[in-house]
Amino acid sequence: DAGVIQSPRHEVTEMGQEVTLRCKPISGHNSLFWYRQTMMRGLELLIYFNNNVPIDDSGMPEDRFSAKMPNASFSTLKIQPSEPRDSAVYFCATLAGVNTGELFFGEGSRLTVL
Amino acid sequence: GENVEQHPSTLSVQEGDSAVIKCTYSDSASNYFPWYKQELGKRPQLIIDIRSNVGEKKDQRIAVTLNKTAKHFSLHITETQPEDSAVYFCAARRGGSYIPTFGRGTSLIVHP
């Protein structure tokens, strides 16, 4: 398996633009997580899905952020409109099941909002 | 909810020395404690984990210890090498939960 695949790896955009980050999980992994990483706040959990259903989105900072998982092989995180404070690395991670331990992270999407 | 504190935030050692990173957790129901290593510009990757029915686990130069009574766990790296330089994250997860709570990370610098 190629692991968790994220795109784009780097995105530079201007304030107010819409940003869509994409994630392809490892096949068979039932849980998918979106994290945001910054120097100031470390690794923050934004939202997680179990069997394609959003379970906990309490970490989503505000209504500008939305996430979907239309099927078991694809998820998106959308920011509209983007702001400079959204600049961060966004990681997608997957877990095989509640009885397993390891989170498998993608390579991350580095977002810069000017 | 769970709260994980990690110390120190930065650790600088000479090659060959040992390094110890400590974490405390608040939720007594936590029973799974992984450690992740994140090299510069890369993704976090699991390096070792421990479950609450075990007090210590070793894998070559790294070891993790767990004190359930005191609710703290530590990562020990012996004979450090420059390639050990990275940010290390501890985490804690309660039984039946999917979500680990991460510490803020420790930046380990190993000087040749």
Side-chain angles (χ1 to χ4, degrees), chain A residues 15 36 38 41 44 61-62 64-65 81-88 90 111 113-114:
Chain A
M15 183 174 64
R36 177 171 68 178
T38 60
R41 302 170 75 95
E44 297 176 274
E62 47 199 274
R64 298 185 297 108
F65 285 68
S82 58
E83 296 182 3
R85 60 192 168 120
D86 301 330
S87 297
Y90 291 82
L111 172 65
V113 184
L114 303 175

Side-chain angles (χ1 to χ4, degrees), chain A residues 31 33 35 37 39-43 45 48 50 56 91 95 98-103 105-107, chain B residues 32 34 36 38 41-46 49 51 87 89 93 95-100 102-104:
Chain A
S31 299
F33 304 76
Y35 284 93
Q37 185 175 38
M39 289 293 293
M40 291 296 293
R41 302 170 75 95
L43 270 171
L45 177 65
Y48 92 95
N50 191 42
D56 185 351
F91 286 101
L95 183 70
V98 71
N99 293 321
T100 64
E102 184 175 0
L103 269 180
F105 285 82
E107 296 286 359
Chain B
Y32 175 68
Y36 288 81
Q38 186 179 23
K42 300 289 182 66
R43 60 186 167 180
Q45 291 187 282
L46 182 75
D49 56 13
R51 297 188 184 271
V87 177
F89 293 94
R93 193 183 78 180
S97 172
Y98 292 84
I99 307 174
F102 284 92
R104 290 294 304 274

Side-chain angles (χ1 to χ4, degrees), chain A residues 4-88:
Chain A
V4 178
I5 300 173
Q6 290 187 246
S7 65
R9 292 293 311 278
H10 302 274
E11 173 95 4
V12 180
T13 190
E14 293 188 346
M15 183 174 64
Q17 296 298 306
E18 179 179 294
V19 173
T20 299
L21 307 179
R22 298 172 178 80
C23 176
K24 181 179 180 347
I26 294 173
S27 178
H29 281 202
N30 299 325
S31 299
L32 183 143
F33 304 76
W34 282 100
Y35 284 93
R36 177 171 68 178
Q37 185 175 38
T38 60
M39 289 293 293
M40 291 296 293
R41 302 170 75 95
L43 270 171
E44 297 176 274
L45 177 65
L46 301 177
I47 186 171
Y48 92 95
F49 296 83
N50 191 42
N51 293 322
N52 313 337
V53 177
I55 302 300
D56 185 351
D57 65 354
S58 59
M60 296 286 263
E62 47 199 274
D63 292 345
R64 298 185 297 108
F65 285 68
S66 62
K68 294 182 179 180
M69 192 165 184
N71 56 60
S73 58
F74 185 64
S75 178
T76 59
L77 178 68
K78 187 176 292 188
I79 308 172
Q80 167 63 19
S82 58
E83 296 182 3
R85 60 192 168 120
D86 301 330
S87 297

